Amino acid sequence: MSGIERHETDLLILGSGGAGLLAALHADDKDPSLKITIAVKGLLGKSGCTRMVQGGYNVALAPGDSLQRHFMDTIEGGKWLNHQELAWRLVEGAVERIIQLENRWGCFFDRNPDGKLHFKAFAGQTVDRTVHKGDLTGIEIINRLAEQVWARGIRRLEEHRALALIPARDGERLSGVVLLDVRTGEFRFIAAKAVLLATGGGPTMYLYHTPSGDKSCDGLAMALRAGLKLRDMEMVQFHPTGLIAGKDTRITGTIIEEGLRGAGGHILDGSGERFMHRYDPRNERATRDIVSRGMYDQMRAGKTGPNGGVFITMKHLDPAMVRRQFKGMVTRCADVGFDLVGGDVEVVPTAHYMMGGVVFDLGCRTSLPGLFAAGEDTGGVHGANRLGGNGVANSTVYGGIAGETMAAFVKSGGGIVAPDEAAIEAAVADALRPFSRKPGDLNDLRERLYRLMWDDVGIVRDEAGLTRGQKALDELATELGEAGLPDTTRAFNLTWADWLSLDSLILTSRAIAAAALKRDDSRGAHYRSDFPETGSLERSENTVVTLKENRIAVTTEPVAFTRVRPGQTLS
């Protein structure tokens, strides 16, 4: 195809969060002769969800803790849907990775007066095991990793949006990726011996959401279009405490971190009464899914604050401790008129994390040879509910593994292969489609997507709502396909970016709704009011979503209890 730049690289990494950066560093360590390229939609070191991590990093290093206890907390929190070997690799690898982050990459985490690591309390865990840098842990990790990448000969394609995974001409493996250079509006095809999908999730299709607006589930959408299987897509985690400061500010939905509840914070209804004791004996320290549902229940009953949320308060705790331990949160709340130290802060459950994602193995391989995946683009590690602190552990543990596996793959003979030229042409034509149509109202489409996902495919679901949601999503997909854009400059075209983001979000939303309708029991983040009970744990199944001729298909596969069965424990 003419008119598209072409380049070659050994490794192409899509995303510059914890998974992408550690993959690059580990691959470079494994083989410094490799030509490594990181493509990121924004700027390296300034993009992605890892940078936004506040709370911390779970690792079994505290006195009285063990790999077995961390594993069991992860499995029980995940309601026995986790891929157990992936979960074990997470808890085992976290110990190695946290030591490496400090001693190799230069991260510095908070310590006790005796110099030992400080572990904060996080909900859903039987031991305080969350390592942190105040409440700005992600910034510490990403700053240090980005410095290491900048210091090496690792190529960066900043402000490049991945559009499509392109198979080889013979269809046997991946050839490369079509990218859009946001700065010029031109297209590039990058042929690669190995590609890492590490774009992160970002469930920004909900009315309230934590990730930045540029997160739009692009990786999951590309994987679906490439024919890959996605596991447990119904499992969308809502963080209980998203700041709510009115609908006209983007700060609404951003997190008030989980460590507040771990430190003893209380959740209050609109009249100032605690209520979590009615939902779980752990009160505010129950897992995120339980606390979110309790809050949502109060909101539906009208027991809310002025913006429709409930409240978190720390005013019964030591003010000095709150100011010291949660400095970033105190400042964030003050910026919008709330006093975290001495008052009540209005909060709402907010879409935070995708537990579902691409099916992958212990070496981060996918079913498409040449394509690897790590971080929030993948499914299976967390099951039905992710423990706070396990997210950044997931991305960094599996990012490092992916880098080493990809380097070995290339060394064993993985080479550049000729692409399917028709697939490249189709990807470019699809991205240019809106310029040939009459301009539409993208903001209206976005607002309708927010509302229908919140109301019908959100915290509480039922068959009627999910069926209604599926129909509405199909209609939105059709309307988006007919909604055009003014054919002006394509360089830094934010309206075009919105169109592409909505395209990914609507497809991913269709996968979420279809998987949620298929799972007819309640597990973790997935709650069906028409099937409120959890089915047999022994007969647990994962949902598997595929896309065929633009139709979502959902099947199920039994969970393999490779290390422990329901009713047993390793700790």
Side-chain angles (χ1 to χ4, degrees):
M1 178 180 178
S2 61
I4 179 171
E5 288 189 29
R6 295 180 183 243
H7 304 272
E8 293 185 356
T9 188
D10 292 324
L11 307 186
L12 176 61
I13 295 170
L14 303 178
S16 67
L21 295 184
L22 269 179
L25 293 173
H26 276 248
D28 190 61
D29 280 348
K30 190 84 170 176
D31 185 353
S33 70
L34 287 172
K35 183 178 180 181
I36 302 171
T37 303
I38 300 176
V40 54
K41 191 158 55 172
L43 300 176
L44 191 143
K46 302 297 182 182
S47 303
C49 288
T50 305
R51 184 176 178 82
M52 299 171 71
V53 169
Q54 299 162 1
Y57 191 120
N58 289 343
V59 58
L61 286 174
D65 202 359
S66 66
L67 297 180
Q68 291 78 10
R69 290 191 74 171
H70 188 185
F71 175 79
M72 287 307 303
D73 285 349
T74 300
I75 297 299
E76 290 174 348
K79 305 302 178 186
W80 295 89
L81 288 186
N82 315 64
H83 184 294
Q84 294 193 2
E85 296 308 310
L86 291 173
W88 181 261
R89 179 67 62 87
L90 169 74
V91 303
E92 185 179 49
V95 175
E96 174 188 350
R97 194 68 77 240
I98 203 75
I99 294 171
Q100 181 191 67
L101 284 168
E102 276 210 323
N103 295 285
R104 178 78 193 282
W105 308 126
C107 298
F108 187 78
F109 302 110
D110 286 359
R111 283 177 144 67
N112 297 316
D114 62 4
K116 294 179 180 178
L117 283 169
H118 178 262
F119 300 94
K120 72 164 75 168
F122 256 35
Q125 305 194 69
T126 57
V127 178
D128 296 353
R129 63 167 64 92
T130 308
V131 173
H132 61 105
K133 175 68 172 177
D135 53 7
L136 301 172
T137 308
I139 290 176
E140 175 70 12
I141 292 172
I142 290 298
N143 283 355
R144 303 292 82 77
L145 296 181
E147 289 166 356
Q148 295 290 334
V149 168
W150 288 326
R152 303 187 186 206
I154 295 172
R155 184 185 181 199
R156 305 192 301 276
L157 287 175
E158 296 180 305
E159 294 177 319
H160 277 68
R161 180 178 195 139
L163 297 176
L165 304 171
I166 303 300
R169 185 181 299 160
D170 61 10
E172 294 297 317
R173 56 155 294 172
L174 186 69
S175 174
V177 181
V178 171
L179 301 167
L180 171 65
D181 184 344
V182 175
R183 297 167 300 183
T184 65
E186 301 297 325
F187 297 96
R188 288 192 168 91
F189 173 68
I190 310 297
K193 298 175 182 177
V195 174
L196 177 65
L197 194 65
T199 66
T204 58
M205 66 283 284
Y206 287 93
L207 180 62
Y208 302 107
H209 54 262
T210 68
S212 58
D214 64 336
K215 302 297 291 182
S216 50
C217 297
D218 292 331
L220 297 173
M222 287 191 294
L224 273 173
R225 294 188 183 107
L228 276 76
K229 295 179 178 179
L230 304 188
R231 175 191 281 135
D232 293 338
M233 284 298 292
E234 71 276 20
M235 298 304 176
V236 181
Q237 182 170 81
F238 285 78
H239 193 291
T241 51
L243 186 63
I244 184 167
K247 73 174 189 175
D248 295 324
T249 170
R250 181 56 193 93
I251 201 169
T252 286
T254 56
I255 288 177
I256 302 298
E257 73 121 314
E258 184 154 308
L260 296 170
R261 290 187 291 121
H266 291 167
I267 305 291
L268 311 176
D269 64 19
S271 62
E273 299 295 322
R274 292 178 71 185
F275 57 84
M276 274 310 303
H277 59 279
R278 300 201 292 269
Y279 298 91
D280 193 281
R282 294 170 292 184
N283 299 319
E284 286 84 0
R285 287 188 64 174
T287 52
R288 290 174 172 179
D289 54 311
I290 294 172
V291 179
S292 291
R293 281 198 298 277
M295 293 169 63
Y296 187 70
D297 194 31
Q298 301 301 305
M299 291 165 60
R300 289 201 299 178
K303 300 177 181 180
T304 65
N307 290 305
V310 293
F311 297 96
I312 187 168
T313 187
M314 307 290 284
K315 61 189 178 186
H316 55 288
L317 300 174
D318 176 24
M321 180 276 292
V322 176
R323 290 192 183 94
R324 180 183 66 253
Q325 194 163 323
F326 303 103
K327 179 181 178 181
M329 295 299 96
V330 171
T331 300
R332 174 173 292 182
C333 291
D335 285 343
V336 290
F338 290 122
D339 179 8
L340 181 62
V341 177
D344 300 333
V345 177
E346 193 169 2
V347 291
V348 64
T350 179
H352 181 50
Y353 192 92
M354 306 288 293
M355 275 83 71
V358 176
V359 174
F360 77 128
D361 69 10
L362 290 168
C364 298
R365 304 170 193 89
T366 72
S367 60
L368 180 59
L371 179 66
F372 301 78
E376 198 178 344
D377 277 330
T378 64
V381 176
H382 306 295
N385 185 49
R386 176 177 69 80
L387 296 181
N390 270 3
V392 68
N394 177 29
S395 61
T396 55
V397 167
Y398 280 103
I401 291 170
E404 295 175 9
T405 305
M406 293 165 72
F409 174 79
V410 171
K411 187 175 182 179
S412 68
I416 299 291
V417 293
D420 180 341
E421 295 292 340
I424 295 177
E425 291 185 13
V428 172
D430 203 44
L432 292 174
R433 184 169 33 134
F435 292 113
S436 64
R437 288 163 169 76
K438 182 179 178 181
D441 189 344
L442 297 188
N443 189 61
D444 176 66
L445 292 176
R446 183 189 304 107
E447 293 293 332
R448 285 158 58 195
L449 176 65
Y450 285 168
R451 178 54 66 180
L452 79 88
M453 289 299 289
W454 177 260
D455 290 340
D456 293 334
V457 198
I459 297 172
V460 176
R461 304 160 173 173
D462 60 28
E463 181 177 3
L466 291 169
T467 302
R468 183 170 58 245
Q470 284 186 309
K471 183 175 183 294
L473 286 167
D474 289 342
E475 292 171 353
L476 281 182
T478 299
E479 290 184 50
L480 180 67
E482 296 171 348
L485 307 173
D487 198 358
T488 57
T489 178
R490 295 176 185 173
F492 287 112
N493 190 321
L494 298 183
T495 309
W496 190 14
D498 283 347
W499 192 96
L500 293 169
S501 292
L502 280 170
D503 195 33
S504 293
L505 287 171
I506 291 171
L507 177 56
T508 307
S509 297
R510 289 172 60 204
I512 294 169
L517 190 57
K518 183 71 171 179
R519 185 175 293 283
D520 56 2
D521 76 342
S522 292
R523 290 287 181 101
H526 170 73
Y527 183 80
R528 289 279 299 264
S529 60
D530 49 350
F531 294 99
E533 302 300 321
T534 297
S536 169
L537 295 180
E538 286 282 353
R539 294 193 295 273
S540 295
E541 293 182 322
N542 299 116
T543 59
V544 179
V545 171
T546 53
L547 181 69
K548 297 178 181 178
E549 298 179 350
N550 201 36
R551 293 185 178 181
I552 300 288
V554 188
T555 58
T556 60
E557 295 177 355
V559 174
F561 301 118
T562 55
R563 289 183 177 263
V564 62
R565 303 190 68 84
Q568 300 175 342
T569 184
L570 297 184
S571 59

